[in-house]
Amino acid sequence: EKHYKAQITAEEERREAVKAEAARIEAERLAGLRAKVDGIMTAWLDRCNVEGMTAERVAAGIDGLSLLQMPTDQGLDDVADHWASAKLLTLGKMENIRLGLARKELEAREAASKAEANRITSITRRIAEIHAAATGHDKATAWELFEAVVAVEALDVSEGQYQEFAPAAQAAQASTLAALRAKHTAAVAREDDRAKAADAERRRAEAERLERMAEQNLKRL
């Protein structure tokens, strides 16, 4: 009886060992299939992280993965549940990547728009300053107006400085120079007239002084 019991126990142990080995092999097989699924999903994620990726391209990838069916020729049917969960998880990660890229792209567009607005504001302000250089010279001397003309002439109104607004800057420079030169000419004439009037007044005063001296000399005689 002991002999038969030993044989039965040995057989049961052998069968358990065979079953355990089969379970181990099956577990390894399923692990390999799950790893294959994970590799497929990782490949989709890796595509989303390449340099120059855009939110639009990631969105297209999300659509593509959403439509992707599990391969039927690689034995993956046994891990269909893992395929479904891994696919869902990957789609979620891709959506997060898309949202992040969309946010960065929006920030970049807003920054570019702000920079462009600042550029235009800066240029138009400089053009306005050129126009303003023609005003506020009502009491300026001819020399001060000459200096203003020289300063405006020295302004660089090339495309390198004003880009597409260069024609407007050049027109502003031309009109301001015309106004300043006209004011300069008027100031020169005005100062000449004052100088002539002052010289005439000086001569008149000198003549009167000499006349008075002559009268006083005659009285002494």
Side-chain angles (χ1 to χ4, degrees), residues 130 133 145-158 169-170 172-174 176-178 180-181 184:
I130 294 174
L145 287 164
F146 173 75
E147 289 182 326
V149 168
V150 172
V152 173
E153 283 180 333
L155 293 175
D156 181 2
V157 291
S158 65
Q170 292 161 6
Q173 183 188 47
T176 297
L177 284 173
L180 289 173
R181 284 168 178 154
H184 176 259

Side-chain angles (χ1 to χ4, degrees), residues 75-191:
L76 298 180
D77 291 344
D78 293 333
V79 290
D81 56 340
H82 184 70
W83 170 274
S85 61
K87 180 178 176 181
L88 186 62
L89 180 62
T90 302
L91 286 171
K93 291 180 178 179
M94 291 174 69
E95 178 62 16
N96 288 336
I97 293 173
R98 186 194 69 80
L99 291 174
L101 289 172
R103 182 172 58 255
K104 289 181 180 179
E105 290 167 8
L106 176 60
E107 291 172 352
R109 288 194 298 271
E110 290 176 345
S113 178
K114 184 177 180 180
E116 177 64 7
N118 290 339
R119 182 185 72 86
I120 293 174
T121 298
S122 175
I123 291 176
T124 54
R125 183 175 61 249
R126 282 186 283 152
I127 292 175
E129 289 171 353
I130 294 174
H131 282 296
T135 63
H137 299 285
D138 297 336
K139 297 181 180 180
T141 65
W143 177 252
E144 290 171 339
L145 287 164
F146 173 75
E147 289 182 326
V149 168
V150 172
V152 173
E153 283 180 333
L155 293 175
D156 181 2
V157 291
S158 65
E159 289 186 6
Q161 289 293 323
Y162 287 86
Q163 297 160 34
E164 72 272 26
F165 293 94
Q170 292 161 6
Q173 183 188 47
S175 64
T176 297
L177 284 173
L180 289 173
R181 284 168 178 154
K183 290 182 179 182
H184 176 259
T185 299
V188 169
R190 186 167 58 250
E191 291 175 8

Side-chain angles (χ1 to χ4, degrees), residues 4-94:
Y4 287 124
K5 285 183 179 181
Q7 288 183 330
I8 293 172
T9 300
E11 179 62 19
E12 289 176 350
E13 290 176 350
R14 186 188 66 77
R15 290 178 180 179
E16 288 298 326
V18 170
K19 185 185 297 185
E21 179 64 13
R24 184 190 65 78
I25 293 173
E26 177 64 7
E28 288 183 355
R29 185 181 73 85
L30 294 177
L33 293 175
R34 283 192 289 270
K36 183 177 293 186
V37 170
D38 293 340
I40 293 173
M41 299 306 163
T42 298
W44 281 85
L45 282 177
D46 289 344
R47 293 179 189 177
C48 298
N49 291 311
V50 298
E51 185 177 356
M53 181 56 62
T54 65
E56 183 179 4
R57 289 172 60 190
V58 174
I62 291 173
D63 292 340
L65 180 56
S66 298
L67 298 175
L68 182 65
Q69 299 297 317
M70 184 178 63
T72 59
D73 59 344
Q74 299 182 29
L76 298 180
D77 291 344
D78 293 333
V79 290
D81 56 340
H82 184 70
W83 170 274
S85 61
K87 180 178 176 181
L88 186 62
L89 180 62
T90 302
L91 286 171
K93 291 180 178 179
M94 291 174 69

